[in-house]
Amino acid sequence: MSSSVSPLAPKTVPDMPVIAGIRLATAEAGIRYKNRTDVLLAVMDKGTAVAGVFTRSKCPSAPVEWCRAKLKGGKARALVVNSGNANAFTGKTGRASTALTAKIAAKAVGCSESEIFLASTGVIGEPLDATKFDGVLGRLAEAAEPGDYLAAAKAIMTTDTFPKVATATVKLGKAKVTINGMAKGAGMIAPDMATMLSFIFTDAPIAPAALQALLKSGVEDTFNAVTIDGDTSTSDTLLAFATGAAAEHGAPKISRASDPCLKAFVKAFNQVLANLAEQVARDGEGARKLVEITVEGAKTKASARKIAMSIANSPLVKTAIAGEDANWGRVVMAVGKAGEPADRDKLSISFNGIRVAKRGARDPDYDEAQVSEAMKAPEIAILVSLGLGKGRDRVMTCDLTKEYVAINGDYRS
């Protein structure tokens, strides 16, 4: 956790409403950090539905493997998250740690171990001493209250400089339902099916299969459209929990993701995901610029995504932005290396609304002073027009500064 907050951090933090059926508590378990909370316990009422998407890394963490196996049951009673140790690349010891953590949590909450979900974040390759949860989780289960999402978000931070929370309220049938979310992540960010760690809670009565479909669809243009450094974590986990408590106030029970009653809910749900994803980009390690990259005129949306990600993950593009240099040559390079259809002589590029390149050459109206001034802004929008079709996509990233190197050079120290 950094002592200085990112200059791109949101200026305000939303008030996070209470969600019926969810209770939260945090503690200092001494996993890695001193004098700060590093474990979160979320307790859910019986009958809470769960859905999840996870990293596609071929070297997943032990908690990811645990959650994948338990997701088939569709029900959750508790979530345990620790920071400081990812419990990844820890072999049999890691699997034993997840089993012990789940056993301790199940006893504390009074449920089956199959209803316990786990997530860990931090250093890879170091064994996680799950005995540190013994006693701690019991106290947390007793102390858990419906409430402090900001404290919960702080407990799961590693190199994050600020806690990330988002909320939305929407009508479902005759009832008002709430969607609360939290996320952590600042480095090793190039999600593939999920984000670093993120947890969504709602009181909507949505069946597990429907919730799973909503989540899988929702991540594509939110968390999967964000990158910090092009590195997909071993621990990427996004879990959604639906307590169903709003059914008591007239919310219809939803069994299908295609239910027309869900239209407004889906929009609000995706807005929460998008808000959290953008906050992750705003907190990129050492970031000083939030960067939005839009590619239009591609053959397909999928092609536009690949090209946008090629630009977003280019160290040369990102360092040019850090240096406030509208170096469109680096953008051209990133477009060309993406392996997608592109025509140099149809390519146009703009920075913050100012076109710098047109149809394969420098724009005839290019003004160096005007563009240099625009590049001083904290938010940079890059638009690439390919002129080949109707495919369009957008991704979020940040610049690459010397501080990124400093943070990661000292990460294990």
Side-chain angles (χ1 to χ4, degrees):
M1 187 191 302
S2 174
S3 58
S4 59
V5 177
S6 168
L8 303 173
K11 302 304 180 187
T12 60
V13 178
D15 292 327
M16 302 293 287
V18 166
I19 292 180
I22 304 290
R23 295 180 292 122
L24 306 170
T26 63
E28 297 179 20
I31 302 299
R32 177 177 174 82
Y33 307 114
K34 294 181 179 179
N35 302 317
R36 57 152 288 190
T37 55
D38 58 3
V39 60
L40 160 67
L41 175 67
V43 182
M44 279 77 77
D45 282 356
K46 291 181 179 179
T48 295
V50 61
V53 287
F54 308 93
T55 182
R56 283 182 175 174
S57 169
K58 300 301 183 183
C59 300
S61 69
V64 165
E65 291 182 325
W66 174 275
C67 288
R68 279 179 176 153
K70 306 310 174 190
L71 201 63
K72 298 172 184 177
K75 299 296 181 183
R77 288 295 314 283
L79 166 70
V80 180
V81 189
N82 75 270
S83 59
N85 186 313
N87 195 12
F89 203 66
T90 46
K92 293 181 179 179
T93 300
R95 291 189 286 275
S97 292
T98 58
L100 179 56
T101 304
K103 182 178 180 180
I104 295 170
K107 181 179 179 181
V109 174
C111 68
S112 166
E113 293 171 24
S114 65
E115 296 175 298
I116 303 295
F117 286 79
L118 309 172
S120 299
T121 180
V123 174
I124 294 171
E126 294 186 6
L128 173 63
D129 182 5
T131 62
K132 291 186 175 181
F133 296 124
D134 199 9
V136 172
L137 295 182
R139 293 193 299 274
L140 290 180
E142 293 178 359
E145 296 181 349
D148 200 342
Y149 286 86
L150 195 61
K154 288 179 179 178
I156 66 175
M157 290 165 58
T158 51
T159 58
D160 305 62
T161 70
F162 62 89
K164 302 163 185 67
V165 294
T167 186
T169 301
V170 67
K171 290 290 287 292
L172 181 59
K174 297 180 180 180
K176 181 178 73 173
V177 298
T178 300
I179 306 163
N180 285 350
M182 68 180 80
K184 69 79 51 186
M188 200 184 288
I189 307 298
D192 189 358
M193 285 307 294
T195 183
M196 299 43 62
L197 292 185
S198 187
F199 310 105
I200 311 297
F201 304 91
T202 182
D203 52 356
I206 303 178
L211 189 62
Q212 182 67 39
L214 294 181
L215 193 64
K216 186 175 180 179
S217 173
V219 298
E220 286 307 316
D221 288 330
T222 57
F223 284 124
N224 281 358
V226 169
T227 181
I228 301 300
D229 44 27
D231 288 333
T232 296
S233 171
T234 60
S235 306
D236 288 350
T237 297
L238 171 54
L239 294 168
F241 303 92
T243 69
E248 298 179 5
H249 304 287
K253 294 184 179 180
I254 304 296
S255 59
R256 298 175 295 108
S258 59
D259 192 318
C261 291
L262 276 178
K263 186 175 181 180
F265 179 89
V266 170
K267 183 178 180 180
F269 186 81
N270 290 345
Q271 284 175 344
V272 170
L273 297 181
N275 187 315
L276 292 171
E278 181 175 311
Q279 288 188 58
V280 169
R282 287 181 176 277
D283 204 18
E285 290 172 339
R288 294 295 178 268
K289 306 277 188 183
L290 178 69
V291 185
E292 178 187 67
I293 298 168
T294 302
V295 174
E296 64 181 18
K299 287 284 190 180
T300 63
K301 175 180 170 66
S303 180
R305 169 67 61 87
K306 289 182 180 179
I307 293 171
M309 279 294 188
S310 178
I311 299 167
N313 283 322
S314 166
L316 290 176
V317 172
K318 292 159 76 73
T319 50
I321 294 170
E324 301 181 343
D325 178 13
N327 191 335
W328 66 86
R330 294 182 176 182
V331 176
V332 173
M333 172 277 300
V335 171
K337 75 170 185 175
E340 293 297 311
D343 185 332
R344 178 199 62 204
D345 296 331
K346 293 182 178 180
L347 184 63
S348 297
I349 300 167
S350 297
F351 285 84
N352 273 5
I354 303 171
R355 192 169 60 193
V356 296
K358 179 182 178 182
R359 295 187 176 276
R362 186 172 71 177
D363 191 288
D365 296 326
Y366 177 78
D367 183 331
E368 180 76 31
Q370 181 189 28
V371 178
S372 295
E373 185 63 28
M375 293 302 291
K376 295 178 181 179
E379 298 184 11
I380 304 296
I382 299 176
L383 173 63
V384 174
S385 299
L386 298 175
L388 300 177
K390 296 182 179 180
R392 187 180 190 277
D393 206 1
R394 162 190 170 275
V395 303
M396 302 293 294
T397 188
C398 61
D399 57 346
L400 180 60
T401 68
K402 294 177 181 178
E403 190 177 348
Y404 179 90
V405 177
I407 291 169
N408 287 283
D410 292 338
Y411 188 66
R412 291 204 312 151
S413 300

